[in-house]
């Protein structure tokens, strides 16, 4: 039996054991790469599938493999490197690329995902995958300039613009670029909520001196969404000192906000004038052409092809928010994965209905429980039980989160639904999921998948 035949046999059996949607989602484009002394190496599409298969299906796969081939001892999943997209092929290679090529970094056929532990930046956000158009060119140019010469051109750099238009992307791209140019520089990126809560905690613990000290060796401080400083007097004062210290040592400070410094309510005067003391650059709304260019770039990045009518449809209805354009694209991709065919303009319209306008999206308790238990391969009874098994706890938290977010049920009411859990448990669950969603792309994809099933029938 060849590896391919063996794998086909395995898949045929797995199909009996998992739901159709799960099968399509997790087992598409998998194959056996090699078999060596009983060790079977299986190629998977992305790190998300890898983790999922590892956690949920490894033992099933191993069992089936053993039944077909007794010598099987262990299995391992590997993420297959994507085919280079047209975009990256036309992008010039840099010195760094050549370096990677020589040292055999990500050019190897298989890519292990490692997180950068030196900074808390997300390596996904770079200048390379940032589309520039009239609406953001000033902010982009300023960001570029700062990344080439931190501390010396515009300080602070203050970028403002509406939701989902690329502020975080740009801020992180600066950080990533600086790390690339000078790896020794210490970069600190903090969403302002996190920054503010560390100040509040330090004040409570009388450790504000230590907190400030931790900023002493920072070369680049990036604070995202400073509009949340509004009304936080004490924290503003502490930040003012940190700001001054860094500024005077010619350290770069980069800030973003959804409004101009003037428009942030109750921002202390002296802090406002600090914010206005450098460069203020806005990000506006992209026009139709630019939205289309962004969507095309995203398609290339994700290696998907969409009908041009479908693409035009997306950007004609999703106008003000690039995150939503991505959300729309993800829905279509999931459809494509599950149904194994590209969506027609009519289907795209239907799939995106709930995302657009969305006047009265409805779902209910039953549906949420059904979809969540189905996605995580649990029974509804397990999900609603009080069992503490690890594989149930997380899906249950997700379900609680959705009952709160989608149905606005009260915490005690949700608790009652799950065998009389205390409302504090529900609050904890909701917050935990909300927090993880900010940093965990896998979870984000899961939630999108769930929401899509909650609101779309096909
Ligand atoms: P904001 O912080 O302004 O709310 P984000 O930076 O989080 O917005 O952007 C939302 C999503 O849109 C991100 O996934 C980001 O990568 C993407 N995005 C935003 N602007 C661009 C752009 N100019 N080119 C490519 N992707 C973009
Ligand atoms: Mg942001």
């Amino acid at each position: 039996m060849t590896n391919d035949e063996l794998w086909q046999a395995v898949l045929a059996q797995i199909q009996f054991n998992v739901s159709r949607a799960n099968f399509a989602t997790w087992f598409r484009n998998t194959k056996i790469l090699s078999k060596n002394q009983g060790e079977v190496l299986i190629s998977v599409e992305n790190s998300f599938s890898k983790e999922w298969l590892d956690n949920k299906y490894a033992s099933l796969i191993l069992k089936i493999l053993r039944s077909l081939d007794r010598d099987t001892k262990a299995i391992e999943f590997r993420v297959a490197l994507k085919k280079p997209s047209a975009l990256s092929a036309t992008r010039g290679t840099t010195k760094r690329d050549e370096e990677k090529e020589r040292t055999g970094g990500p050019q190897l056929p298989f890519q292990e995902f490692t997180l950068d532990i030196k900074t808390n930046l997300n390596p996904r956000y770079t200048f390379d995958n940032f589309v520039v158009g009239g609406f953001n060119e000033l902010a982009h140019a300023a960001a570029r300039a700062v990344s080439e010469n931190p501390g010396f051109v515009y300080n602070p750099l203050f970028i403002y613009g509406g939701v989902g238009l690329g502020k975080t992307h740009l801020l992180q791209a600066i950080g990533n670029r600086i790390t690339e140019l000078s790896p020794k520089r210490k970069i600190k990126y903090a969403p302002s909520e996190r920054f503010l809560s560390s100040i509040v905690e330090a004040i409570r613990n009388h450790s504000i001196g230590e907190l400030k000290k931790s900023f002493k060796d920072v070369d680049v401080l990036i604070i995202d969404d400073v509009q949340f400083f509004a009304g936080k007097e004490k924290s503003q004062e502490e930040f003012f000192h940190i700001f001054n210290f860094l500024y005077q040592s010619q350290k770069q400070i980069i800030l973003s906000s959804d409004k101009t410094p003037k428009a942030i309510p109750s921002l202390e005067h002296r802090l406002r004038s600090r914010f206005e003391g450098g460069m203020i650059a806005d990000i506006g709304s992209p026009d139709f052409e630019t939205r289309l260019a962004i969507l095309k770039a995203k398609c290339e990045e994700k290696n998907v092809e969409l009908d041009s009518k479908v693409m035009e449809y997306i950007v004609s209805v999703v106008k003000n928010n690039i995150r939503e354009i991505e959300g729309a694209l993800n829905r279509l991709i999931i459809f494509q994965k599950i149904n194994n065919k590209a969506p027609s303009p009519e289907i795209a319209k239907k799939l995106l209905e709930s995302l657009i306008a969305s006047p009265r999206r409805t779902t209910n308790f039953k549906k949420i429980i059904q979809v969540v238990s189905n996605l995580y391969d649990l029974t509804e009874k397990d999900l609603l039980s009080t069992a503490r098994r690890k594989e149930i706890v997380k899906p249950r938290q997700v379900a609680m989160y959705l009952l709160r977010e989608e149905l606005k049920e009260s915490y005690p009411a949700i608790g009652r639904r799950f065998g009389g859990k205390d409302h504090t448990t529900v609050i904890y669950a909701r917050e935990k999921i909300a927090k993880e969603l900010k940093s965990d792309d896998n979870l984000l994809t899961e939630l999108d998948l769930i929401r899509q099933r909650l609101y779309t029938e096909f």
Side-chain angles (χ1 to χ4, degrees):
M1 193 157 31
T2 66
N3 285 347
D4 279 348
E5 285 162 354
L6 175 60
W7 191 237
Q8 284 314 316
V10 172
L11 290 181
Q13 294 206 27
I14 286 174
Q15 249 175 322
F16 290 117
N17 290 282
V18 304
S19 67
R20 204 169 64 86
N22 273 327
F23 183 78
T25 309
W26 309 118
F27 291 92
R28 247 179 77 81
N29 293 335
T30 53
K31 65 172 188 194
I32 293 181
L33 285 167
S34 65
K35 230 171 54 191
N36 199 349
Q37 296 179 334
E39 297 215 11
V40 182
L41 197 55
I42 300 160
S43 153
V44 302
E45 251 186 337
N46 49 45
S47 58
F48 186 21
S49 311
K50 172 173 150 65
E51 200 179 306
W52 197 280
L53 290 169
D54 248 341
N55 289 337
K56 302 204 39 124
Y57 295 112
S59 57
L60 175 66
I61 296 171
L62 192 61
K63 202 170 93 194
I64 296 175
L65 268 170
R66 276 204 186 119
S67 72
L68 296 163
D69 179 348
R70 278 198 192 179
D71 298 334
T72 310
K73 289 202 191 71
I75 55 173
E76 196 186 326
F77 299 99
R78 278 283 172 82
V79 177
L81 192 66
K82 283 192 206 140
K83 291 178 231 93
S85 66
L87 192 71
S88 56
T90 52
R91 231 182 259 145
T93 48
T94 60
K95 262 224 168 78
R96 212 177 139 89
D97 288 335
E98 286 159 19
E99 175 87 18
K100 279 184 196 151
E101 182 106 54
R102 265 191 295 112
T103 53
Q107 306 288 337
L108 284 171
F110 300 105
Q111 187 175 2
E112 293 293 5
F113 287 78
T114 51
L115 275 179
D116 195 329
I117 41 161
K118 273 188 304 207
T119 74
N120 50 353
L121 294 163
N122 184 337
R124 191 179 79 148
Y125 297 115
T126 64
F127 284 119
D128 262 357
N129 58 14
F130 190 78
V131 178
V132 185
F135 75 110
N136 62 10
E137 65 185 338
L138 177 67
H140 172 258
R144 278 268 184 195
V146 162
S147 65
E148 304 287 326
N149 209 347
F152 290 88
V153 268
Y154 309 120
N155 209 7
L157 171 61
F158 189 101
I159 292 176
Y160 76 93
V163 179
L165 290 172
K167 300 182 297 293
T168 298
H169 189 137
L170 211 44
L171 258 52
Q172 298 230 11
I174 300 174
N176 281 320
R177 179 72 182 146
I178 296 175
T179 315
E180 189 178 17
L181 294 171
S182 26
K184 291 232 170 69
R185 286 232 166 99
K186 190 165 174 207
I187 298 167
K188 195 165 193 147
Y189 168 88
S192 74
E193 300 104 304
R194 198 192 303 154
F195 181 77
L196 288 168
S197 66
S198 64
I199 291 185
V200 170
E201 196 165 317
I203 293 175
R204 196 187 301 136
N205 301 334
H206 309 285
S207 59
I208 197 80
E210 273 154 57
L211 180 73
K212 282 188 187 155
K213 231 186 257 156
S214 75
F215 284 91
K216 293 244 146 137
D217 59 342
V218 167
D219 296 304
V220 179
L221 178 63
I222 306 174
I223 310 258
D224 209 350
D225 289 319
V226 296
Q227 71 271 12
F228 294 125
F229 280 24
K232 313 259 162 58
E233 259 174 62
K234 190 81 188 114
S235 298
Q236 284 184 27
E237 187 185 327
E238 299 302 343
F239 179 61
F240 182 74
H241 297 302
I242 294 170
F243 184 105
N244 283 345
F245 171 80
L246 292 173
Y247 182 80
Q248 277 151 18
S249 340
Q250 279 206 328
K251 303 298 178 59
Q252 180 70 47
I253 298 149
I254 306 163
L255 309 162
S256 84
S257 165
D258 66 353
K259 23 178 123 50
T260 63
K262 254 194 204 63
I264 300 176
S266 58
L267 184 66
E268 221 193 314
H269 174 75
R270 54 183 185 165
L271 204 49
R272 187 174 92 203
S273 68
R274 284 288 182 279
F275 287 0
E276 289 171 339
M279 162 76 132
I280 299 187
D282 76 312
I283 299 185
S285 294
D287 60 17
F288 180 84
E289 298 296 321
T290 316
R291 295 200 296 278
L292 198 57
I294 290 172
L295 180 58
K296 282 188 175 147
K298 301 277 169 202
C299 286
E300 280 175 14
E301 207 175 283
K302 293 173 191 267
N303 249 314
V304 288
E305 274 181 42
L306 284 184
D307 187 283
S308 64
K309 284 250 159 36
V310 171
M311 289 211 248
E312 281 167 21
Y313 174 71
I314 295 177
V315 299
S316 69
V317 291
V318 188
K319 294 198 174 107
N320 298 318
N321 188 322
I322 295 168
R323 190 178 295 127
E324 281 177 6
I325 294 182
E326 288 182 337
L329 176 61
N330 285 338
R331 281 198 180 185
L332 301 190
I333 292 175
I334 289 169
F335 172 89
Q336 200 155 332
K337 268 196 191 163
I338 294 174
N339 296 279
N340 225 339
K341 65 171 188 218
S344 66
E346 292 69 43
I347 290 179
K349 215 168 188 165
K350 191 152 183 263
L351 287 171
L352 302 185
E353 235 160 39
S354 61
L355 200 108
I356 304 151
S358 60
R360 214 160 283 114
R361 311 199 302 174
T362 57
T363 189
N364 54 45
F365 169 73
K366 206 164 161 260
K367 191 101 191 265
I368 289 179
I369 297 306
Q370 197 185 353
V371 172
V372 172
S373 53
N374 180 282
L375 184 93
Y376 292 99
D377 260 350
L378 298 171
T379 64
E380 294 181 19
K381 206 166 146 232
D382 271 345
L383 192 67
L384 291 168
S385 72
T386 48
R388 302 279 319 151
R389 289 207 307 282
K390 192 164 147 263
E391 66 271 24
I392 304 180
V393 169
K394 174 89 173 279
R396 187 182 293 135
Q397 288 171 338
V398 167
M400 289 177 168
Y401 172 86
L402 287 164
L403 288 171
R404 178 70 190 177
E405 295 297 305
E406 306 299 306
L407 300 182
K408 312 277 179 256
E409 288 195 357
S410 76
Y411 291 122
I414 298 172
R416 281 194 294 273
R417 290 189 180 281
F418 292 85
K421 285 214 186 296
D422 195 64
H423 73 283
T424 53
T425 308
V426 185
I427 295 176
Y428 171 80
R430 198 206 74 88
E431 281 175 0
K432 182 157 175 287
I433 297 298
K435 195 164 150 227
E436 284 178 15
L437 278 173
K438 291 192 179 155
S439 57
D440 185 344
D441 281 359
N442 295 347
L443 187 61
L444 204 63
T445 310
E446 284 170 35
L447 260 288
D448 197 59
L449 203 63
I450 292 171
R451 286 209 168 93
Q452 181 178 332
R453 290 190 195 158
L454 286 180
Y455 294 109
T456 336
E457 230 91 42
F458 50 79

